[in-house]
Amino acid sequence: MTLSLYIARRFAMTVGQVFLVFFGILMLIDMIEQLRKFSGKGAGLGDAFHLSILNVPETLYRILPLIFVMGSIAMFLSLARSSELVVVRAAGRSGLRFLATPVVVATLIGLMAVAVLNPMVAATSRAYDDLSARYAADGSSVLSVSDAGLWLRQGGSYGQTVIQAGRANFDGTELTRVTFLTFGEEGLPVTRIETTSAKLVKGAWILSGARVWNLNADNPELSVKSWPDGTRLPTDLTPERIRDSFGTPSAVPVWQLPNYIKDLEQAGFSARAYRLWFQMELAQPLLLTAMVLVAAGFTMRHTRAGKTGIRVLYAILAGFALFFLRNFAQALGDSGQIPVSLAAWSPPLAAVMLALGLLLHLEDG
């Protein structure tokens, strides 16, 4: 137990140190990028730091597998140089039994990352998007999905309009059971439009079965009017802006993803990317474990055996290959070319099997 606790502490400290190094480097790079983007918008050094502290956690979370492979390599090399691996083997503990502790720690950290770090990253990502949109002053359209259906917001010279629809087609350009609520300059609603359907065509909504209420009238119900089918309602929305308003699946906390996927599918949109991200988050602890085993397969040997630099290079290349294989599988799953579960689980499972095969060959011949 004492040895296991010592190994666990060394592993956690090494991974933590690599994490902090990456955090410092990414902060410097991102602050420079934020200053470049928003210096003309009145953002100073403090604003750039604020934006970076909100944006960097998402990048760190995405490269967490690479941080683990780097930390694992550093720990195994440190133990090999100090001959601690030789002492452990001389005490009768095999290499595979020695690896049980780092694997358990990596799995626990992976579970904590999914359960705790993921919601924090989602919150900082949303805060960064809101703050950067405020600096860029282009946040006139927003899309959200809830139990009540689809919600959109559009801007224009006539003011802000909130759109609520019971259902939409795949790209949000055809809405059914739609309500348009237009607000004046004072922020109060001035017009309400209800339609059976609305279709986005070349900068305007084409309405069908529209009824209009003037909310500034003494009795809005007496002012209701019917518009003929085909009436055009100008809008600054485009299919691309509606699609981009979804943001990324990483902006939704993992605990809320099942309900969000359900709401998204009920609104008529494809939730494949969100279902894939949810499965990938569930597979994250296994991926981190695979990174530890990959690093161990190349570097858990005594430095006197020689070719340490080559083995470290192989371990880094193997870790990056696994990382990019996972991203490639994600792209295939996102496009529907392979099933979601296969895209999410096959890379870490394959990496674990290959790394275990290499370790069994090196340890037991």
Side-chain angles (χ1 to χ4, degrees), residues 88-89 92-99 300 363-364:
V88 170
R89 285 189 172 95
R93 176 169 291 196
S94 65
L96 290 177
R97 188 181 172 192
F98 169 84
L99 278 176
M300 203 177 67
E363 293 296 324
D364 296 330

Side-chain angles (χ1 to χ4, degrees), residues 163-166 175-180 192-199 205-213 227 229 231 233:
I163 306 171
Q164 191 275 329
L175 311 178
T176 57
R177 304 190 307 276
V178 194
T179 299
F180 295 84
R192 176 186 174 190
I193 304 172
E194 289 191 359
T195 71
T196 56
S197 65
K199 185 176 181 180
W205 292 104
I206 307 300
L207 308 181
S208 299
R211 302 179 67 198
V212 186
W213 285 262
W227 283 355
D229 291 349
T231 300
L233 185 67

